[in-house]
Amino acid sequence: MVISESKSAHLREVLLFAFNWKKGATEAHRMLEEVHGDHALSKSQCYRWFKKFQSGDFELDNEPRGKPHQKFEDAELQALLDDDSTQTQEKLAKQLQQERRLVTCEGLLARHEKKSFLHRIVTSDEKSIHFSNPMRQKSWGLLGQFPKRKPRPNRLGKKAMLYVWWNQTGVVYFKLLKPGETVNTSRYEQQMHSLREALNEKRPELREKHNKLILQHDNAPALNATVVKNTIKDLGWELLPHPPYSPDLAPSDYHLFTSLGHALKSQEFSNSDILRKWLVDCKLLTHYTCPHLNSVVTGDESWMFKYDPESKRQSCAWYTKSSPRLKKARMSKSCIKTMIIVFFDIRGIVHCEFVPQGQTVNSAIYLEVLRRSHACGLTLKTRSSSTMTMPPATQPSSLPTSWPGATPR
């Protein structure tokens, strides 16, 4: 039977009177049943109120029921829910992540255009190294013939975690943990001080005030702890802002650890001391630099149009749901075009040359271009190597001042 709120409040006052009268919950329930009959509170309700009185809470009003009031500390999340409160958690997370990634990337790009800071970045990441690394290769076989059986790598076997700090010049510091150990807050804080000593020895230029270090690491809980943030602040370093779960901002996975994985093929280690000695002897981490990039010269060709409109990606623009869609005129490329061949390295353009109008690059034209580029100072290595080098004193040839085949007005 449903009891009105005023009647229920009166019965709760009776229960408080019985509690002060040193009566038990069972006796108080019997007294209510004798007086009020079916309108009395149930035995479980009496026990719940007596338990509340025993804890020192004598408030007789019922606790509010129903959907609790939502409180959000994130203003962006509150704005999205105000627009549409029926959005799922997955959809909200996707929208917030996209907006934050856009804002962060635009801020970093604007900062780089104002003043380059890439040489100041020191990135870190971890990698689990297995003690047993059997090499598996694909093999060709005849139809109906069983392939050769090769052991599958035991991913649950013995392994140790390697933590590496490096920048565009090379590896600064690395630490091989004991088997079974992982990176936690206290261990990472100790490694920060070891990294500072290695930086003072190998990268003394990063101690300057206008050239201070910018640290980039992932968003693991141990790395985002308050103790670690305070340590980075005390060391005078800057933490590179980037949104969470950014696989495109993990250069170690695509650059350093790839080379390390190739070197570990078919390697067997009995303990961590032998593994540490191998890491030092192979010089992959102690002398890991990229000097070969300075000697690489790449060449390619492209069509050069007398008029080339913007591509879809170049002309794209951001707009909200409420703003009208931008109107764009359809444009076609110019019919007058010629092909250009360009050779460049990490420092800039080495040599560029236009192909005669109406022709494309063939073997004869390419050989002539190589001969002329050789005369400009671009030397080729032996045929077994695909690397081309340029003497440091060589200056890039200048671009032509007039369009080939164009008639002056």
Side-chain angles (χ1 to χ4, degrees):
M1 180 178 295
V2 180
I3 305 176
S4 63
E5 180 62 27
S6 59
K7 184 73 173 178
S8 178
H10 171 67
L11 296 179
R12 293 194 293 270
E13 292 176 355
V14 175
L15 288 179
L16 180 58
F17 172 77
F19 176 80
N20 294 329
W21 198 17
K22 307 298 181 181
K23 301 292 183 181
T26 305
E27 187 176 357
H29 176 256
R30 182 182 57 80
M31 293 169 57
L32 289 176
E33 278 191 333
E34 290 180 357
V35 177
H36 298 280
D38 296 337
H39 296 281
L41 298 177
S42 63
K43 184 180 291 187
S44 60
Q45 289 176 317
C46 294
Y47 274 99
R48 186 170 66 250
W49 281 103
F50 265 71
K51 185 177 181 181
K52 185 178 180 181
F53 297 153
Q54 291 173 359
S55 63
D57 185 5
F58 299 99
E59 182 66 36
L60 298 178
D61 294 333
N62 278 322
E63 297 179 357
R65 296 184 180 182
K67 188 176 181 181
H69 179 67
Q70 296 180 346
K71 296 181 180 179
F72 302 98
E73 298 180 357
D74 197 328
E76 297 179 5
L77 179 60
Q78 181 66 51
L80 290 175
L81 287 173
D82 292 341
D83 294 340
D84 185 6
S85 60
T86 61
Q87 298 182 81
T88 61
Q89 184 177 359
E90 181 180 1
K91 187 176 180 180
L92 290 171
K94 188 176 181 180
Q95 292 181 9
L96 288 175
Q97 185 176 357
Q98 289 177 350
E99 292 179 2
R100 290 174 181 175
R101 284 180 65 87
L102 176 61
V103 173
T104 305
C105 294
E106 286 181 344
L108 293 176
L109 181 59
R111 178 181 178 181
H112 175 67
E113 292 175 351
K114 185 178 180 180
K115 184 179 180 181
S116 178
F117 63 93
L118 299 180
H119 62 282
R120 298 164 46 193
I121 296 178
V122 174
T123 183
S124 64
D125 209 344
E126 72 278 355
K127 178 180 176 61
S128 296
I129 300 181
H130 295 265
F131 284 26
S132 178
N133 302 274
M135 184 172 60
R136 303 184 70 197
Q137 294 180 346
K138 296 180 180 179
S139 59
W140 293 92
L142 300 176
L143 184 63
Q145 182 182 1
F146 290 98
K148 296 180 180 180
R149 294 186 177 181
K150 296 182 180 180
R152 178 178 296 178
N154 184 15
R155 294 302 175 187
L156 301 178
K158 198 173 182 181
K159 57 186 177 181
M161 179 170 288
L162 174 69
Y163 219 97
V164 186
W165 286 264
W166 62 287
N167 65 350
Q168 64 179 12
T169 309
V171 174
V172 179
Y173 174 72
F174 73 93
K175 177 69 174 179
L176 183 67
L177 305 182
K178 296 180 181 179
E181 290 184 349
T182 57
V183 177
N184 53 29
T185 303
S186 59
R187 190 171 289 117
Y188 192 76
E189 184 185 5
Q190 296 174 1
Q191 292 174 355
M192 289 287 98
H193 296 284
S194 302
L195 175 62
R196 180 185 59 178
E197 298 177 0
L199 286 169
N200 294 337
E201 179 183 355
K202 300 180 179 180
R203 307 288 190 273
E205 65 277 3
L206 295 178
R207 291 183 297 178
E208 301 176 4
K209 184 177 180 180
H210 66 279
N211 205 26
K212 65 178 182 179
L213 178 141
I214 301 177
L215 183 64
Q216 179 202 5
H217 55 210
D218 54 25
N219 293 290
L223 278 59
N224 278 337
T226 306
V227 179
V228 175
K229 292 181 179 180
N230 294 336
T231 303
I232 295 174
K233 185 178 180 180
D234 295 339
L235 293 173
W237 298 346
E238 179 185 352
L239 193 60
L240 183 70
H242 64 279
Y245 307 107
S246 304
D248 54 332
L249 294 180
S252 302
D253 295 336
Y254 305 101
H255 189 58
L256 175 63
F257 291 158
T258 303
S259 302
L260 182 60
H262 292 318
L264 283 170
K265 287 183 179 179
S266 68
Q267 297 291 336
E268 300 287 338
F269 310 101
S270 57
N271 53 57
S272 58
D273 295 333
I274 297 178
L275 173 58
R276 185 179 293 103
K277 184 177 182 300
W278 179 87
L279 291 173
V280 176
D281 294 342
C282 74
K283 299 182 179 180
L284 185 63
L285 298 179
T286 55
H287 296 79
Y288 183 80
T289 56
C290 305
H292 59 279
L293 295 179
N294 297 326
S295 60
V296 173
V297 176
T298 182
D300 205 350
E301 69 280 348
S302 176
W303 285 109
M304 300 288 291
F305 295 88
K306 192 170 184 180
Y307 175 75
D308 194 356
E310 289 183 338
S311 63
K312 290 184 178 179
R313 182 174 294 274
Q314 291 172 338
S315 62
C316 64
W318 290 96
Y319 61 92
T320 61
K321 294 182 179 180
S322 58
S323 61
R325 186 180 295 272
L326 300 177
K327 295 183 179 180
K328 302 176 184 178
R330 180 175 296 178
M331 298 182 181
S332 59
K333 296 182 179 180
S334 173
C335 296
I336 303 176
K337 61 180 180 179
T338 187
M339 184 168 286
I340 186 174
I341 303 177
V342 182
F343 296 92
F344 64 94
D345 64 355
I346 195 173
R347 289 165 288 183
I349 296 178
V350 178
H351 178 75
C352 61
E353 189 173 328
F354 281 98
V355 179
Q357 192 171 3
Q359 298 184 17
T360 57
V361 177
N362 52 32
S363 57
I365 293 178
Y366 194 70
L367 286 175
E368 291 295 330
V369 173
L370 290 180
R371 291 191 184 99
R372 285 191 288 270
S373 62
H374 178 75
C376 294
L378 183 65
T379 59
L380 295 178
K381 285 187 176 180
T382 57
R383 188 177 180 84
S384 60
S385 175
S386 60
T387 306
M388 296 183 291
T389 61
M390 181 189 68
T394 303
Q395 297 296 331
S397 58
S398 59
L399 289 170
T401 56
S402 61
W403 186 268
T407 304
R409 296 182 179 179

